[in-house]
Amino acid sequence: MPEKNLEKPKVCFVVAAEITVKAFLTDHIKAMEQYFDVYVALNTNNKHFLKPFGIKIPVIHINIRRKISPASDIKALCELYREFRIGRFHAIHSVTPKAGLLSMLAGFFAGIPIRIHIFTGQVWATKKGFVRWLLKSMDKLLAACATHILVDSSSQRDFLIEQGVVSPEKSRVLANGSICGVDTDKFSPDPESRDLIRRHLAIAESDVVFLYLGRLNRDKGLIDLARSFGRVCDKYDNIHLLIVGPDEQGMKEQMESLCSSCIQKMHFVGYTDVPEKYFAASDVFCLPSYREGFGVVVIQAASAGIPSIGTRIYGVIDTIEDGITGLLYHPGDVDGLASKMIEMIERPDLRKIMGSNARIRATKKFSKEIVTEALTDYYKSLLLANV
């Protein structure tokens, strides 16, 4: 009788930058190391960037740039092909569009048997004309080269199927959605952090704080948020808008110009590595986005016990139960957003009930443990069935 092969299957995650691994993959990698030899390929010169997370896995440097750069992209494609051929991986798994396209192409030509990509949102969803066609075509090519497609929300999967990018047979959503879930211990009601942040920003405990947390760009609907806040601020003295995240397109100046009469009620923080403290300090989370894959910030807010106001678009509708854990409005409707903000201001009882509902839902459906277990089981079904 032949001896059983005890060698672990080799899995390689492919991303463009360290931040993607740190934000979405650390818990998955820790869980999967028990069953697989896990590698990560990305654009970094720091092969020990995962050490603070207690992770020691091989790191492969591939010069994947975020923006389209034909010469650089071709070089990265060749590098990935070489690494895949040498590494003899049983599976590769890409995250983000550029890493996905390059690794699925390289994996296809290298003969990697299992090629997985996860869609977390489409840049082309808000584009028009040739740019939309080009970016959409790239996603179609990516999906064609993959053997398995994951999507981080059900409504996004429906959109991709409708658009002809993926097929129902080839795609699926794990658990209840989300790429990584939420740490319900880290993101939780925290009176101490609430008091600390509010005192630092000179915000009274009785004031109502609306929070936006994420990248600052136009696709996130921040111009709409500024216009709505400006209108509401003219009627109420006890409100504040807290904006946390890196400014990618000079949004601070644009937003302030739209709220000149209430600039003192706007607080720009910039990037933070302790987002949980700002959720704890706030009363309502706002996501006025025009496109989202899932909206992980919404479930972080929910886990922290605060309701959300969000746009009625794919991805967001999976994270907000309208009237139960938050309120939805149509993207671009400035009056609609303003009316939802007013409803939250005037009904503290509603905020409290929705916040409690949101916390319960996040814990039951979107905890990081649920998502990590689902992904690990998925890999075990693909790679360990015959071991």
Side-chain angles (χ1 to χ4, degrees), residues 281-296:
S282 304
D283 298 293
V284 182
F285 180 69
C286 295
L287 187 62
S289 186
Y290 284 83
R291 62 175 179 88
E292 288 291 333
F294 175 76
V296 66

Side-chain angles (χ1 to χ4, degrees), residues 69-350:
S69 175
S72 176
D73 294 342
I74 292 173
K75 183 178 178 182
L77 178 65
C78 293
E79 290 174 355
L80 283 167
Y81 173 79
R82 183 180 66 250
E83 292 293 344
F84 292 164
R85 291 285 292 179
I86 295 172
R88 296 182 177 275
F89 295 101
H90 297 84
I92 57 173
H93 186 151
S94 58
V95 185
T96 70
K98 175 66 80 64
L101 179 61
L102 295 178
S103 59
M104 292 301 103
L105 279 168
F108 174 81
F109 288 115
I112 302 300
I114 295 177
R115 305 181 297 275
I116 304 168
H117 177 74
I118 182 166
F119 281 104
T120 59
Q122 290 70 52
V123 175
W124 50 266
T126 56
K127 305 294 183 182
K128 296 181 180 179
F130 175 76
V131 173
R132 177 185 173 92
W133 175 85
L134 176 63
L135 296 175
K136 183 178 176 181
S137 297
M138 292 169 71
D139 271 357
K140 285 185 175 181
L141 177 59
L142 181 165
C145 290
T147 58
H148 300 75
I149 294 293
L150 297 178
V151 190
D152 68 356
S153 71
S154 296
S155 58
Q156 181 190 181
R157 178 174 177 266
D158 292 341
F159 172 77
L160 289 171
I161 292 172
E162 177 191 347
Q163 292 292 314
V165 175
V166 304
S167 66
E169 299 77 20
K170 198 175 185 178
S171 60
R172 64 177 293 183
V173 177
L174 296 180
N176 301 296
S178 173
I179 185 174
C180 61
V182 61
D183 185 335
T184 56
D185 292 325
K186 177 179 178 180
F187 292 91
S188 61
D190 182 355
E192 184 177 339
S193 291
R194 180 182 178 88
D195 179 64
L196 181 66
I197 296 294
R198 286 189 171 228
R199 281 194 288 109
H200 176 70
L201 297 174
I203 299 174
E205 172 56 33
S206 59
D207 288 352
V208 179
V209 175
F210 293 93
L211 168 69
Y212 169 83
L213 190 148
R215 293 179 292 112
L216 275 58
N217 61 47
R218 296 189 73 89
D219 277 356
K220 294 296 183 179
L222 292 175
I223 297 300
D224 295 342
L225 180 59
R227 286 176 174 151
S228 298
F229 181 72
R231 295 178 188 182
V232 176
C233 199
D234 289 339
K235 299 179 181 179
Y236 299 88
D237 293 328
N238 65 328
I239 66 171
H240 295 260
L241 179 60
L242 180 54
I243 305 102
V244 181
D247 192 346
E248 298 181 345
Q249 298 176 350
M251 298 304 299
K252 180 177 184 292
E253 291 76 12
Q254 297 178 60
M255 294 178 73
E256 287 180 336
S257 69
L258 294 168
C259 299
S260 56
S261 63
C262 55
I263 289 180
Q264 72 280 4
K265 297 295 185 70
M266 300 176 73
H267 310 272
F268 290 85
V269 174
Y271 171 80
T272 180
D273 57 3
V274 286
E276 66 277 9
K277 295 184 182 297
Y278 291 94
F279 283 116
S282 304
D283 298 293
V284 182
F285 180 69
C286 295
L287 187 62
S289 186
Y290 284 83
R291 62 175 179 88
E292 288 291 333
F294 175 76
V296 66
V297 284
V298 175
I299 59 170
Q300 289 173 344
S303 184
I306 65 173
S308 294
I309 300 173
T311 43
R312 196 181 295 275
I313 60 173
Y314 74 77
V316 177
I317 60 174
D318 297 271
T319 57
I320 298 175
E321 276 193 284
D322 193 22
I324 306 297
T325 66
L327 301 172
L328 295 172
Y329 73 99
H330 293 289
D333 183 359
V334 173
D335 289 335
L337 174 53
S339 70
K340 302 301 182 185
M341 296 174 81
I342 290 172
E343 186 173 358
M344 289 292 195
I345 294 168
E346 295 186 343
R347 294 194 57 188
D349 59 323
L350 181 68

